[in-house]
């Protein structure tokens, strides 16, 4: 028989650790081999227990789950990591995935789905809760839409006006733009005014944001 999947539970809440350990230890083919109460305990626990999968809390007092995940995944033979948290802000999700987490689940995920996630990430399949998947899809769609709208807006400007937009996005003053683009300050001001009018924007900050959305800054 193949050995059971070895799981390390990392959470600063002792009750959460105990609950996850009791739940997973009762599942055939899974063994909770250790626990850690903070991210700074994870390296030593990984050395001691050689887990296949780590269930990682996000917010912990000394070292957060994202930092601990990044450190684990930099090892030669790293375990897979499933972030299990109550915090589902987009930034948390993206930071965790970029750090190398193979899964991101919320703590209200049904036990059966947590068990399935452990098995799937151990087999090399990434896992996201349905709510998280929808959030990322919506975010991607919003970003794609903003990019297309920004590109279309900038396409209505002249090449010279686009140069001014890029300079504004880089934080240049009118005087600096004048030197950089070899024109008078009054001409720069006129270009900025025309850009605001054409694009129906209110200020230079909105010009910079539009350039950012278009991938230019």
């Amino acid at each position: 028989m193949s050995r059971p999947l070895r799981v390390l539970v990392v959470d600063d809440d002792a009750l959460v650790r105990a609950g996850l350990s009791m739940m997973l230890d009762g599942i055939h083919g899974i063994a909770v081999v250790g626990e850690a109460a903070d991210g700074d305990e994870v390296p030593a626990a990984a050395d001691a227990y050689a887990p296949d999968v780590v269930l990682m809390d996000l917010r912990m007092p000394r070292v957060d789950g994202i930092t601990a995940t990044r450190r684990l995944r930099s090892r030669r033979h790293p375990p897979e990591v499933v972030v299990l948290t109550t915090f589902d802000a987009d930034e948390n999700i993206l930071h965790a995935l970029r750090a190398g987490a193979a899964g991101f689940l919320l703590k209200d995920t049904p036990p059966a789905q947590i068990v399935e996630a452990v098995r799937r990430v151990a087999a090399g399949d990434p896992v996201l809760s349905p709510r998280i998947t929808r959030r990322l899809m919506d975010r991607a769609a919003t970003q794609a839409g903003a990019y297309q709208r920004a590109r279309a807006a900038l396409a209505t400007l002249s090449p010279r006006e686009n140069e001014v937009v890029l300079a504004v996005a880089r934080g240049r003053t009118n005087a600096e733009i004048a030197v950089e683009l070899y024109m008078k300050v009054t001409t720069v001001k006129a270009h900025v005014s025309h850009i605001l009018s054409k694009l129906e924007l209110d200020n230079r900050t909105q010009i910079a944001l539009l350039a950012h959305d278009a991938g230019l800054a």
Side-chain angles (χ1 to χ4, degrees):
M1 294 179 63
S2 60
R3 70 175 178 84
L5 291 176
R6 300 167 63 84
V7 177
L8 172 67
V9 177
V10 183
D11 199 294
D12 64 337
D13 188 323
L15 289 177
V16 171
R17 293 198 309 274
L20 288 171
S21 295
M22 289 179 61
M23 177 190 74
L24 291 170
D25 255 345
I27 302 299
H28 177 71
I30 295 178
V32 175
V33 294
E35 298 179 4
D38 201 281
D40 63 354
E41 300 176 9
V42 170
D47 287 339
Y49 304 119
D52 301 302
V53 177
V54 177
L55 286 181
M56 183 79 73
D57 190 19
L58 197 62
R59 301 281 182 89
M60 292 178 283
R62 296 185 296 276
V63 174
D64 64 82
I66 291 172
T67 301
T69 297
R70 187 179 298 111
R71 291 173 179 173
L72 272 181
R73 295 298 298 169
S74 68
R75 291 176 165 229
R76 186 173 180 181
H77 299 293
E80 298 295 343
V81 177
V82 177
V83 171
L84 191 61
T85 180
T86 57
F87 302 97
D88 65 345
D90 290 353
E91 291 74 17
N92 291 334
I93 301 166
L94 294 173
H95 287 326
L97 296 178
R98 287 169 180 158
F104 196 107
L105 300 177
L106 300 178
K107 286 184 177 177
D108 61 1
T109 300
Q113 292 182 22
I114 295 176
V115 172
E116 179 65 15
V118 168
R119 288 176 170 154
R120 285 180 58 185
V121 298
D125 295 329
V127 175
L128 297 175
S129 68
R131 194 193 320 174
I132 297 302
T133 302
R134 173 52 59 187
R135 289 276 297 277
L136 292 179
M137 290 174 64
D138 290 344
R139 180 188 177 99
T142 298
Q143 290 179 333
Y147 174 83
Q148 295 296 337
R149 289 191 296 272
R151 285 284 180 170
L154 294 178
T156 66
L157 303 180
S158 69
R160 196 60 161 169
E161 287 170 338
N162 271 288
E163 290 178 340
V164 173
V165 166
L166 186 56
V168 169
R170 289 171 175 165
R172 306 290 194 266
T173 65
N174 286 342
E176 290 170 336
I177 295 173
V179 172
E180 188 174 304
L181 299 182
Y182 304 101
M183 61 176 72
K184 295 179 179 179
V185 173
T186 53
T187 305
V188 174
K189 291 180 179 178
H191 277 308
V192 172
S193 179
H194 292 157
I195 291 166
L196 292 172
S197 177
K198 282 184 178 181
L199 302 183
E200 299 181 348
L201 302 176
D202 296 324
N203 52 52
R204 295 168 74 96
T205 299
Q206 291 183 350
I207 293 177
L209 289 173
L210 188 71
H212 179 272
D213 287 343
L216 301 180

